Amino acid sequence: MTTADGSTSTRDGADGNLWRQALWILLASTLLRLVLAVLVPLFPDEAYYWEWSRRLAGGYFDHPPAIALLIAGGTALLGDTALGVRVLPILAGTFAGFWLVRTACHLAGPRAARYTALIFAVLPLAAGGLVLATPDAPLLAGIAWTLYAVVRALDVENAEWSVTAYWLVAGVAIGAAMASKFTGVLVPVAIVIAMLAHAPLRARLAHAGPWLAVAVASLVMVPVLWWNAQHDWVAFVFQLGHGLGTTARGNWFGRELELIGGQAGLVTPILFVLLLGATWRALFPPRDDGRDSPDPMPPSRLGGRDARDPVRFTLAVVTAFCLLFFMYSATRKSVEANWPAIAWMPAIMLLGAARRGLRTAWERRALWLAGALTAAALVHVVVPIFPLPARRDQVSKAHGWDRLAAAVEDSRTRWDASPTPAAGPRRTAGAPSFLATNRYQDAAMLAFHLDDHPTLYSLNLGARHNQYDLWPGFTDRAQVGASMLLVLEEPAEGLPGPIQRLTGHFASIEPGELVRLTRASPTRGEEYVGRRRLWRLEGWSGTWPADP
């Protein structure tokens, strides 16, 4: 605001500084994630999505295609490197953070924006999780963008055309979220529940905007729906079975505790409590409307004196509905820690916008604890510092693949034409006809780490179905007499299951080099992660073991 003498008020200057600080925090956290993207080797699931990006489609066995599109864009810019795979998903995470900060600023001003940026910067969910190229990055970006657009659409200060425009943006954003991960659909369902449950919001359903948003989101999802229709709705069937399938064995109460513990770890303990508290206060504010508190809840902006602010109520319903959904899911199957991540997006907005003034001591402690825990976790990812056995440490899954790839490359070049034992047929000269593994993670990691990034096949004998089952496989491409270099996990004793099943379908099956996968630790040296053996299979008979 400009004063009579033409100067800018101190208040506006302070607000501008706070907003710039919020943006600098987002930028700094983005640069940190980019550095980590270079230092941390690729994980198996990331390599799997990288394989998708080499064969773009409207959908895949496990998820919609957004992550494949981002990886394809990143590798087109930076090549088939860890940074190339991760760069656009990391920027998608920054996009999510920007809309969280922008929403908090709209609700409670620049000071709220800065606090929200700090939460997002220190949260393990963002600081660590958004380094990786997974569907969660575009999902969270779409959710945060959706919520900002809905908040603005519900703002009665906007003109009619502006309200419609925000609903259209919400439709594009939630369509993008659902094209990243099907759980994105929980957000619009929760928004509808909030609008039905709160009288000042109910009248907004008569506006064309929400229905236009549904139509636009449906249009965005057309390629995903079309691909699934052509593939027997395989991704929908898989995800429904994955999250809500047959009730798992074991104690459902134990799975609920595991879910709660996982979420407390994902957002850190103090922030976990504060985020739930901010959600609760938006759902059930004090009946006196907070007039005795130093930072009162604003009265309803859509009319009436209901203590519940409709915008905050809507955000809280999204958090509550998503958490309740995954709590129900845990009664049937274990819920992975990252699945409920969408629930925390609106909760972060609410906590960030909870007050315009100085933060409480617990809010400050929450940032310090989250920052310390996240920093320790990120250091461990780069240099193992926690006393975890490598085989039990999820980080170790990214290590050892260069050594295995070198062994595979050496075996490919040494593949010769000498006769096999027992006067068997001669080996194919030059190189094996096919490279294969039995697990999709191994196939993707080897394809990424081999210099020429060849096509690998995942046989999936006795393993869960995956995208490799939908692509042309060995039996689709091979001719009778074909050879295969097969990489298998070495069991503690006996022959690997796939070798037992393939016996009789090849003229010759011979064990090759055994490779130890290790990771380097500054304090413990080379740590054992796992082992893989190379197998030489020659003279395919043209038959294949039945799928049990």
Side-chain angles (χ1 to χ4, degrees):
M1 185 175 69
T2 304
T3 60
D5 61 0
S7 63
T8 302
S9 71
T10 304
R11 172 77 179 181
D12 280 2
D15 285 353
N17 285 334
L18 291 169
W19 173 248
R20 284 190 291 273
Q21 289 172 22
L23 296 182
W24 278 113
I25 292 167
L26 287 179
L27 176 60
S29 60
T30 300
L31 293 176
L32 174 61
R33 290 198 294 273
L34 289 171
V35 171
L36 289 169
V38 175
L39 298 177
V40 178
L42 215 64
F43 283 81
D45 280 354
E46 293 180 284
Y48 183 44
Y49 303 139
W50 167 78
E51 279 282 50
W52 294 6
S53 75
R54 300 206 290 171
R55 312 173 202 187
L56 293 176
Y60 300 92
F61 184 95
D62 312 70
H63 291 295
I67 186 60
L69 293 171
L70 291 180
I71 293 174
T75 53
L77 292 171
L78 301 175
D80 293 313
T81 62
L83 181 60
V85 170
R86 291 168 172 161
V87 61
L88 291 188
I90 286 174
L91 295 181
T94 303
F95 189 74
F98 174 80
W99 292 117
L100 291 179
V101 168
R102 190 70 187 86
T103 306
C105 186
H106 177 73
L107 292 175
R111 191 176 297 277
R114 185 181 64 175
Y115 187 71
T116 302
L118 287 169
I119 295 174
F120 193 71
V122 300
L123 214 61
L125 163 67
L130 292 178
V131 172
L132 307 181
T134 71
D136 288 326
L139 170 70
L140 297 182
I143 295 301
W145 191 20
T146 300
L147 294 174
Y148 172 77
V150 170
V151 166
R152 297 305 304 269
L154 296 178
D155 192 336
V156 294
E157 296 176 1
N158 289 322
E160 182 73 15
W161 66 268
S162 181
V163 170
T164 302
Y166 279 119
W167 278 118
L168 291 174
V169 170
V172 173
I174 198 59
M178 293 187 294
S180 306
K181 222 171 178 182
F182 293 129
T183 49
V185 74
L186 297 176
V187 172
V189 171
I191 291 171
V192 170
I193 291 173
M195 296 179 79
L196 290 173
H198 195 40
L201 288 169
R202 208 170 299 142
R204 305 305 289 266
L205 288 172
H207 190 277
W211 310 110
L212 289 173
V214 172
V216 170
S218 300
L219 287 175
V220 174
M221 284 291 289
V222 163
V224 180
L225 298 172
W226 178 255
W227 183 90
N228 274 273
Q230 293 179 312
H231 293 83
D232 298 321
W233 304 99
V234 62
F236 288 91
V237 172
F238 170 73
Q239 287 298 339
L240 285 172
H242 195 37
L244 296 174
T246 304
T247 303
R249 296 178 181 178
N251 183 358
W252 68 268
F253 184 68
R255 291 195 296 274
E256 295 289 352
L257 292 179
E258 181 183 0
L259 170 62
I260 294 171
Q263 296 314 293
L266 193 69
V267 299
T268 69
I270 300 178
L271 277 174
F272 177 71
V273 174
L274 293 178
L275 290 168
L276 291 179
T279 302
W280 180 266
R281 287 192 299 274
L283 290 171
F284 307 105
R287 298 307 299 173
D288 64 0
D289 204 18
R291 282 187 291 270
D292 295 331
S293 70
D295 186 40
M297 178 77 72
S300 171
R301 288 183 282 177
L302 300 184
R305 295 299 303 173
D306 191 325
R308 295 178 299 179
D309 176 64
V311 170
R312 296 173 190 246
F313 177 78
T314 301
L315 295 174
V317 169
V318 173
T319 290
F321 178 76
C322 292
L323 288 177
L324 289 172
F325 174 85
F326 287 108
M327 289 181 68
Y328 168 72
S329 179
T331 65
R332 305 181 64 81
K333 283 192 172 184
S334 293
V335 173
E336 295 181 21
N338 64 301
W339 292 0
I342 58 175
W344 302 116
M345 294 293 100
I348 292 171
M349 295 174 175
L350 288 170
L351 179 59
R355 64 185 71 251
R356 295 175 183 270
L358 297 177
R359 293 285 155 178
T360 67
W362 278 110
E363 287 170 335
R364 294 192 297 272
R365 289 170 188 148
L367 291 181
W368 282 108
L369 178 63
L373 293 177
T374 298
L378 294 180
V379 170
H380 178 76
V381 170
V382 178
V383 181
I385 58 174
F386 297 140
L388 294 173
R391 295 205 68 184
R392 295 179 178 272
D393 189 351
Q394 294 296 312
V395 174
S396 66
K397 292 181 178 181
H399 293 268
W401 295 96
D402 285 337
R403 177 179 294 180
L404 181 60
V408 169
E409 187 58 45
D410 183 62
S411 183
R412 291 167 75 190
T413 57
R414 290 189 296 104
W415 194 281
D416 56 37
S418 60
T420 60
R426 296 179 66 83
R427 294 193 179 100
T428 306
S433 305
F434 294 87
L435 296 175
T437 71
N438 196 55
R439 301 173 68 248
Y440 70 89
Q441 299 97 328
D442 289 10
M445 288 293 273
L446 278 175
F448 182 81
H449 284 276
L450 287 166
D451 290 339
D452 58 343
H453 304 303
T455 297
L456 267 89
Y457 298 86
S458 181
L459 304 184
N460 300 331
L461 295 172
R464 85 154 173 91
H465 292 295
N466 54 72
Q467 182 60 34
Y468 283 94
D469 290 311
L470 303 183
W471 288 329
F474 173 81
T475 56
D476 301 306
R477 295 280 177 82
Q479 297 180 345
V480 173
S483 60
M484 179 195 301
L485 178 58
L486 180 60
V487 181
L488 296 174
E489 187 170 1
E490 182 77 352
E493 57 182 26
L495 291 174
I499 294 299
Q500 297 179 42
R501 298 184 64 182
L502 291 172
T503 299
H505 298 280
F506 287 83
S508 170
I509 299 180
E510 299 177 31
E513 181 181 358
L514 181 64
V515 182
R516 285 172 53 88
L517 277 64
T518 62
R519 75 172 184 188
S521 169
T523 58
R524 299 184 292 273
E526 291 289 321
E527 294 185 283
Y528 171 71
V529 174
R531 57 184 184 174
R532 302 290 190 276
R533 185 178 294 280
L534 280 56
W535 292 83
R536 299 182 178 188
L537 289 71
E538 301 196 56
W540 183 45
S541 66
T543 61
W544 199 252
D547 186 346

